[in-house]
Amino acid sequence: MRATAKAHTNIALIKYWGKRDESLILPTNNSLSVTLDGFYTETTVAFNEALKQDQFTLDGQSISGVQYDRVTTFLDLVRDVAGKKNLYAAVDSVNKVPTAAGFASSASGFAALAAASARAIGLSLTDQELSRITRQGSGSACRSIYGGFAEWEMGKRADGSDSYAVPIAPVDHWDIRVAAVVLNATKKKVSSREGMKRTVDTSPFFASWVESNPVDLNGIKAGIKHRDFEKVGEIAEANCLKMHATTLGANPPFTYLQDTTLTVMQAVQAMRANGIPAFFTIDAGPNVKVLYLPENERTVEKTLRGIPGVTDVILSKSGQGVTYL
Ligand code: PMV
């Protein structure tokens, strides 16, 4: 009745931006990510018949409120699938995701929670089934089941049964690196959940975003297959810019990009002009992630650290999928 799982965060190269079903967490487009070695969550789940409700500790602190509610709502789903309605759990999570790095710890968090709780309650799931359940905790988390590159297939069905991630290439296929550039920026005002919804509901650019995605997706998959870094980087950077462009058309308009974000974006493009292949991508926040190849690591790190407003640079290789400890 007890299991421990470890899951890494991932960074999307083709972004998930927009839901077609808010409660089941069903997206309006496929997305594709690389799982990152440097950032992970370890979670132990112990179901216990003596418990009257779930308990949740995160980094040693007992959690209540919205974070606790998201965990118990997710465990209800696992209990439902297992047919064990009133069996509560003690959940103990440790996050190795520096929150300042601007990685959604919800991706590694829900992937680890899903894996540990499913195993602890006695479910034996395929990766696809695990990814589908994980999706309902946090959308981007469903890609963290796999190492290397993973694609979340949006699916078509209203019940979400065909919406889950699949592996695209394992971690040893290609050593591509990601630098998380931490900025001296103000906290974001619009959550990814709210930002997506506002964009879907009001941005006239949203339809073209959805329409343009399949081309990016096919191109990047071919690029990954042939280890074509320029192609993968160019598509990832352009896809990120298109996602951020949709928010400017929303009502009221908003952006996650701050002045230091733009400075880093320009510095990355300047590196390219100087012959160093490096590309940026940015999620629903101000921090920038930079894709590069191992042979350019020293130059990329030095350049990024030298940019005014950059407070830290954390380097990562691509990482493994879920493991059990
Ligand atoms: O799963 P969420 O709600 O954390 O949304 C993540 C959305 C982006 O990070 C902006 C893009 C992505 O695909 O991860």
Side-chain angles (χ1 to χ4, degrees):
M1 295 259 99
R2 178 192 182 91
T4 301
K6 174 177 176 179
H8 294 88
T9 56
N10 66 75
I11 177 79
L13 306 181
I14 302 295
K15 304 293 185 194
Y16 146 53
W17 192 247
K19 291 186 185 74
R20 64 188 161 93
D21 184 311
E22 298 270 322
S23 68
L24 287 173
I25 312 195
L26 297 175
T28 46
N29 66 280
N30 289 21
S31 54
L32 186 146
S33 60
V34 58
T35 301
L36 296 176
D37 182 53
F39 308 91
Y40 60 89
T41 304
E42 273 176 18
T43 296
T44 300
V45 176
F47 286 97
N48 181 341
E49 276 159 14
L51 289 175
K52 297 275 178 288
Q53 61 177 44
D54 296 317
Q55 296 167 356
F56 176 37
T57 63
L58 178 60
D59 297 328
Q61 304 267 359
S62 174
I63 303 290
S64 57
V66 180
Q67 260 184 311
Y68 172 84
D69 294 344
R70 276 187 82 180
V71 167
T72 54
T73 305
F74 183 79
L75 289 174
D76 285 344
L77 202 92
V78 175
R79 283 187 274 266
D80 245 22
V81 176
K84 292 181 178 161
K85 215 170 178 325
N86 294 314
L87 183 59
Y88 297 104
V91 176
D92 189 11
S93 265
V94 179
N95 247 345
K96 296 284 165 66
V97 183
T99 34
F103 279 114
S105 52
S106 66
S108 55
F110 276 99
L113 176 66
S117 60
R119 180 165 285 208
I121 210 163
L123 290 172
S124 140
L125 303 176
T126 62
D127 282 349
Q128 237 165 56
E129 289 165 339
L130 180 60
S131 175
R132 189 168 51 208
I133 291 187
T134 306
R135 186 202 79 224
Q136 293 172 75
S138 162
S140 55
C142 80
R143 300 182 306 236
S144 275
I145 301 304
Y146 308 97
F149 296 90
E151 178 183 357
W152 175 9
E153 296 179 347
M154 61 178 283
K156 293 215 170 348
R157 294 187 203 134
D159 67 358
S161 55
D162 56 353
S163 185
Y164 45 72
V166 297
I168 291 296
V171 67
D172 58 5
H173 169 70
W174 195 13
D175 185 7
I176 102 168
R177 307 275 169 100
V178 176
V181 186
V182 185
L183 301 176
N184 186 5
T186 50
K187 207 178 163 326
K188 67 177 177 190
K189 295 187 186 75
V190 185
S191 68
S192 60
R193 191 166 285 215
E194 187 193 334
M196 270 184 220
K197 183 163 169 40
R198 197 188 298 174
T199 306
V200 174
D201 290 347
T202 66
S203 177
F205 306 150
F206 186 71
S208 356
W209 154 253
V210 171
E211 206 182 291
S212 74
N213 255 298
V215 176
D216 286 356
L217 190 71
N218 288 336
I220 211 160
K221 279 160 81 171
I224 291 167
K225 190 170 171 200
H226 299 111
R227 300 185 190 86
D228 182 340
F229 187 68
E230 297 275 337
K231 181 165 184 164
V232 168
E234 270 168 24
I235 296 173
E237 191 170 297
N239 185 269
C240 145
L241 289 170
K242 281 186 260 188
M243 170 200 137
H244 286 274
T246 65
T247 72
L248 296 174
N251 184 12
F254 65 103
T255 184
Y256 294 108
L257 313 178
Q258 298 187 15
D259 50 359
T260 41
T261 316
L262 293 168
T263 308
V264 177
M265 289 159 71
Q266 280 157 0
V268 170
Q269 290 174 338
M271 268 196 268
R272 279 214 299 281
N274 289 322
I276 303 289
F279 297 86
F280 62 76
T281 184
I282 304 155
D283 280 340
N287 293 330
V288 183
K289 281 84 189 181
V290 179
L291 308 170
Y292 63 93
L293 290 170
E295 58 266 32
N296 297 316
E297 183 151 283
R298 289 184 60 169
T299 315
V300 169
E301 183 180 14
K302 191 160 173 268
T303 307
L304 294 173
R305 285 195 185 276
I307 301 169
V310 169
T311 55
D312 202 2
V313 175
I314 307 165
L315 308 177
S316 180
K317 296 183 179 186
S318 70
Q320 297 289 348
V322 160
T323 51
Y324 297 91
L325 306 173

